[in-house]
């Protein structure tokens, strides 16, 4: 082999912020803070504060490789932690505050966090769990001295930064050095840690911006509703300074009305989140009879958005919907639904049809489908199989978890996603269902996503989920659990009639159950596990 004669400078995250600070000096981070104010700061100022934070972290004894926990909303201090910790070669371990207490205690101990930074919202949570966290962990409240919660040994974020130099001599790091740690929400079994590197985060930021048809441009104002504790807010805190977009951070205010007002006031052009939060925004848009002032685009990921949601955003409000598919283990995006210029010019109904799938893979994410017999399934748009992925933004193992790692990869090092999928020969990805959510009825498979899509299109349905529950004769049968739209009169028979148009009779749910609220996981998705547990005996008892 003949090596190229090129400089081998490592990909480093601090350079992303340095780049944003120099090249996009007018871009900013706007944050709804727990102090109750709205704070603005340029990337240039952010870089100075990141340097101050780095000095403070070193003074607290932080060394390369140390794990530092955060329990925080989306805001400028959280962004500062991302960059300062990574810049020092340490690891920012973002903790999902919605995790059950036992899982949170498990991951803080498993990660061995030496410091834990938390937003004041979470002061009671931290106080309650401290006895279960490692003895050596120290705690920093992410606020100023005036708002410091009670607690003798609490450190104060703003006090730590005060008087520190605004420059830091960032060390040269190997691009494979770890920079961030995120645990899966552990819907089954204990949470598993995905340990990202500078290289993987930077490549993901590059691939996802390059392959998403200009979804981010200099001057855009981007609102990540997706939390920074969920796979680095899908990489937006890295992608925004790279492209010159501003970050509009909603803090704890994630309801439809607050998001709408923030989008209006801050001239938000694009927003990212899971389907559940968009339901709240849609309700607010209906209430006000308009979209937020300059909003152009909504990116939906984390679970399949119902086709009716895409339709409402596009048709009723003229917004461009982009769907993304990915997972914690993929840093996180694997595919995005982008249209060509010609496709984007099609009439709305045709455009929506093209968007009702998980889009095309990002560069760098290789995909293969494996059938029940272990053989590769053709990518012909017809056959489905379990989706396996490989590439520089995919984990190669779980953090300190040999058992989980041994189960999740095949002999060639591909990661099993647990998703059943079809891929067309021109690269369109259709997630059929999570393997564990597919319903096996009398030897035939039924996709819960397909049934949900149809149910969600029924006007009286606000939110819904389809689960498979044990059945004495058919093994499993689908059950439809529905939340009715406020004020709507939900007629179960009419709903099933509506669904009959799209499915064979045997595929339709055996029963419709109306509830006030669906259970959600820590990442805001409908928790089908909880529903399956709740209704496990529903059909067997009935027979
Ligand atoms: P968790 O398992 O804790 O929910 P992730 O947030 O990493 O963790 O979820 C990844 C999974 O979410 C994927 O494997 C897939 O099943 C589902 N998912 C994500 N995006 C989509 C999408 N656009 N359509 C369908 N399913 C999706």
């Amino acid at each position: 082999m003949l090596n190229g004669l090129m400089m081998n400078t490592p990909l480093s995250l601090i350079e992303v912020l340095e780049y944003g600070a120099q090249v996009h000096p007018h871009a900013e981070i706007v944050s709804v803070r727990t102090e109750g104010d709205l704070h603005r700061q340029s990337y240039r100022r952010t870089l100075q504060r990141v340097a101050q934070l780095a000095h403070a972290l070193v003074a607290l004894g932080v060394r390369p490789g140390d794990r530092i926990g955060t329990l925080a909303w989306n805001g400028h201090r959280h962004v500062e932690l991302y960059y300062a910790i990574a810049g020092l070669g340490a690891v920012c371990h973002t903790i999902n505050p919605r995790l059950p207490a036992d899982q949170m205690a498990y991951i803080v101990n498993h990660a061995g966090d030496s410091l834990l930074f938390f937003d004041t919202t979470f002061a009671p949570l931290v106080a309650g769990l401290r006895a279960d966290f490692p003895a050596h962990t120290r705690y920093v409240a992410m606020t100023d001295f005036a708002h410091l919660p009670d607690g003798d040994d609490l450190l104060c974020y703003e006090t730590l930064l005060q008087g520190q130099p605004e420059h830091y001599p960032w060390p040269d790091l190997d691009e494979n050095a770890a920079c961030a740690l995120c645990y899966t929400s552990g819907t089954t079994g204990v949470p598993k840690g995905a340990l990202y590197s500078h290289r993987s985060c930077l490549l993901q930021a590059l691939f996802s911006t390059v392959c998403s048809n200009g979804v981010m441009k200099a001057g855009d104002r981007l609102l990540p509703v997706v939390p920074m504790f969920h796979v680095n807010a899908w990489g937006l805190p890295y992608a925004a300074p790279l492209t010159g977009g501003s970050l509009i951070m909603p803090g704890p205010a994630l309801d439809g009305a607050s998001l709408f007002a923030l989008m209006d006031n801050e001239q938000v052009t694009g927003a990212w989140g899971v389907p559940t939060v968009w339901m709240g925004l849609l309700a607010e848009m209906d209430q006000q009879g308009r979209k937020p002032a300059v909003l152009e685009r909504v990116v939906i990921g984390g679970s399949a958005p119902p086709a009716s949601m895409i339709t409402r955003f596009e048709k009723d409000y003229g917004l461009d919907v982009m769907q993304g598919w990915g997972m914690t283990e993929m840093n996180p995006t694997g595919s995005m639904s982008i249209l060509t210029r010609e496709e984007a010019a099609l009439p709305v109904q045709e455009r929506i049809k093209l968007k009702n799938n998980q889009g095309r893979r990002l560069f760098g994410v290789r995909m293969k489908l494996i059938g029940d017999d272990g053989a590769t399934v053709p990518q012909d748009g017809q056959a489905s199989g379990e989706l396996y992925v490989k590439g520089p933004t995919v984990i190669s193992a779980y953090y300190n978890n040999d058992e989980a790692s041994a189960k999740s990869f095949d002999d060639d090092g591909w990661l099993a996603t647990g998703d059943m999928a079809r891929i067309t020969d021109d690269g369109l990805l259709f997630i059929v269902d999570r393997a564990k959510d597919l319903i096996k009825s009398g030897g035939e498979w039924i996709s819960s996503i397909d049934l949900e899509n149809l149910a969600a299109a029924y006007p009286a349905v606000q939110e819904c989920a389809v689960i498979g529950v044990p059945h004495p004769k058919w093994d499993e049968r689908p059950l439809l659990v529905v939340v009715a739209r406020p004020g709507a009169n939900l007629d179960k028979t009419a709903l099933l009639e509506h669904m009959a148009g799209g499915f064979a009779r045997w595929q339709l749910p055996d029963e419709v159950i109306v509830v006030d609220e669906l259970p959600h996981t820590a990442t805001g998705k409908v928790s089908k596990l909880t529903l399956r547990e709740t209704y496990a005996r529903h059909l067997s008892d009935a027979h």
Side-chain angles (χ1 to χ4, degrees):
M1 184 181 72
L2 178 63
N3 275 343
L5 291 173
M6 303 306 290
M7 293 186 189
N8 198 8
T9 49
L11 301 176
S12 124
L13 286 181
I14 195 69
E15 274 194 46
V16 171
L17 188 60
E18 287 175 333
Y19 178 81
Q22 184 183 28
V23 176
H24 301 294
H26 303 297
E28 59 179 352
I29 306 177
V30 179
S31 313
V32 176
R33 299 202 296 192
T34 51
E35 285 94 335
D37 61 353
L38 188 73
H39 173 89
R40 334 181 149 263
Q41 134 187 330
S42 63
Y43 286 138
R44 201 162 266 187
R45 180 70 194 127
T46 305
L47 183 62
Q48 291 169 343
R49 282 174 53 87
V50 165
Q52 291 183 306
L53 177 59
H55 283 287
L57 290 172
V58 170
L60 287 168
V62 169
R63 301 175 60 86
D66 285 358
R67 276 81 57 214
I68 298 174
T70 61
L71 258 173
W73 303 111
N74 292 3
H76 71 99
R77 295 188 184 110
H78 209 171
V79 176
E80 290 158 11
L81 281 159
Y82 267 38
Y83 281 103
I85 294 170
L88 293 173
V91 179
C92 182
H93 168 210
T94 51
I95 304 164
N96 186 335
R98 301 185 189 120
L99 282 178
D102 59 334
Q103 289 193 11
M104 204 180 292
Y106 169 84
I107 66 171
V108 174
N109 282 286
H110 188 264
D113 296 327
S114 56
L115 286 166
L116 202 158
F117 285 76
F118 63 91
D119 265 333
T120 50
T121 321
F122 305 118
L125 200 158
V126 169
L129 275 173
R130 268 181 74 154
D132 298 326
F133 288 163
H136 70 278
T137 309
R138 279 183 295 167
Y139 298 86
V140 186
M142 293 163 66
T143 186
D144 55 19
F145 192 70
H147 294 88
L148 200 62
D150 290 340
D152 290 343
D153 56 353
L154 285 189
L155 297 166
C156 169
Y157 187 94
E158 292 299 333
T159 311
L160 286 178
L161 265 66
Q162 249 162 38
Q164 297 286 3
E166 293 179 351
H167 291 279
Y168 192 87
W170 300 109
D172 285 331
L173 299 170
D174 185 323
E175 65 181 20
N176 292 304
C179 60
L181 176 62
C182 180
Y183 284 77
T184 62
S185 53
T187 38
T188 52
V190 293
K192 296 170 284 187
L195 185 62
Y196 310 125
S197 63
H198 285 252
R199 178 181 156 82
S200 74
C201 289
L202 222 153
L203 289 180
Q204 167 75 207
L206 292 171
F207 296 164
S208 61
T209 44
V210 166
C211 300
S212 60
N213 239 1
V215 67
M216 273 178 248
K217 302 182 291 299
D220 278 355
R221 296 178 66 79
L222 316 169
L223 191 151
V225 187
V226 52
M228 292 177 71
F229 54 74
H230 188 202
V231 213
N232 304 332
W234 297 344
L236 286 166
Y238 307 128
L242 266 184
T243 52
S246 291
L247 285 167
I248 314 301
M249 300 300 218
L254 302 175
D255 59 288
S258 305
L259 289 175
F260 190 103
L262 184 64
M263 288 177 176
D264 242 10
N265 297 338
E266 289 302 324
Q267 305 280 296
V268 167
T269 51
W272 279 249
V274 295
T276 320
V277 301
W278 298 136
M279 270 176 24
L281 182 73
L282 263 176
E284 183 64 21
M285 283 162 55
D286 291 347
Q287 182 96 12
Q288 304 222 13
R290 66 179 179 95
K291 71 178 177 75
V294 299
L295 189 66
E296 294 165 1
R297 179 172 297 113
V298 175
V299 182
I300 313 179
S303 53
S308 56
M309 175 176 278
I310 304 178
T311 307
R312 299 216 46 230
F313 275 131
E314 295 250 350
K315 217 166 143 210
D316 297 354
Y317 295 104
L319 291 169
D320 176 22
V321 171
M322 194 177 256
Q323 179 173 177
W325 167 85
M327 56 195 297
T328 307
E329 290 84 341
M330 297 177 68
N331 208 181
T333 311
S335 68
M336 295 199 81
S337 65
I338 50 161
L339 302 188
T340 62
R341 199 182 281 274
E342 292 73 30
E343 288 169 339
L346 288 171
V348 66
Q349 281 307 355
E350 284 174 58
R351 223 172 48 223
I352 292 167
K353 253 189 237 155
L354 292 173
K355 290 188 175 188
N356 193 19
N357 55 60
Q358 282 67 27
R360 293 186 163 88
R361 70 187 177 98
L362 301 189
F363 173 77
V365 180
R366 287 193 262 161
M367 295 181 171
K368 69 176 180 184
L369 299 173
I370 299 294
D372 284 344
D373 56 358
T376 306
V377 167
Q379 301 191 7
D380 59 5
Q382 301 296 322
S384 63
E386 182 172 359
L387 178 58
Y388 280 67
V389 290
K390 194 171 191 178
T393 58
V394 181
I395 60 161
S396 57
Y398 288 103
Y399 178 59
N400 280 347
N401 191 337
D402 293 342
E403 199 189 326
S405 302
K407 280 194 220 142
S408 307
F409 299 87
D410 72 7
D411 292 343
D412 299 321
W414 292 71
L415 172 76
T417 64
D419 287 342
M420 302 302 292
R422 293 183 283 122
I423 301 177
T424 63
D425 73 345
D426 59 350
L428 266 187
L429 171 68
F430 291 81
I431 297 291
V432 178
D433 214 337
R434 283 195 185 212
K436 54 182 184 285
D437 292 342
L438 269 177
I439 300 154
K440 190 162 201 183
S441 171
E444 299 286 340
W445 293 105
I446 305 174
S447 155
S448 67
I449 294 183
D450 285 350
L451 285 173
E452 285 159 11
N453 249 322
L454 210 54
Y458 190 66
V461 170
Q462 165 92 1
E463 194 180 13
C464 66
V466 172
I467 48 164
V469 293
H471 186 280
K473 180 161 176 206
W474 301 110
D475 222 0
E476 270 188 339
R477 290 294 301 153
L479 203 67
L480 172 59
V481 190
V482 186
V483 179
R485 198 171 289 286
N489 182 15
L490 199 144
D491 178 338
K492 293 181 187 179
T493 318
L495 168 57
L496 286 173
E497 273 312 310
H498 152 89
M499 294 177 70
F503 285 94
R505 282 274 163 198
W506 67 269
Q507 293 174 311
L508 289 180
D510 273 23
E511 208 177 310
V512 180
I513 298 176
V514 181
V515 294
D516 291 338
E517 207 183 333
L518 288 174
H520 290 96
T521 66
T523 49
K525 309 180 193 187
V526 172
S527 174
K528 293 197 181 174
L529 187 75
T530 314
L531 286 174
R532 276 197 290 266
E533 281 167 5
T534 309
Y535 297 107
R537 300 178 52 81
H538 198 79
L539 294 182
S540 36
D541 283 352
H543 287 80

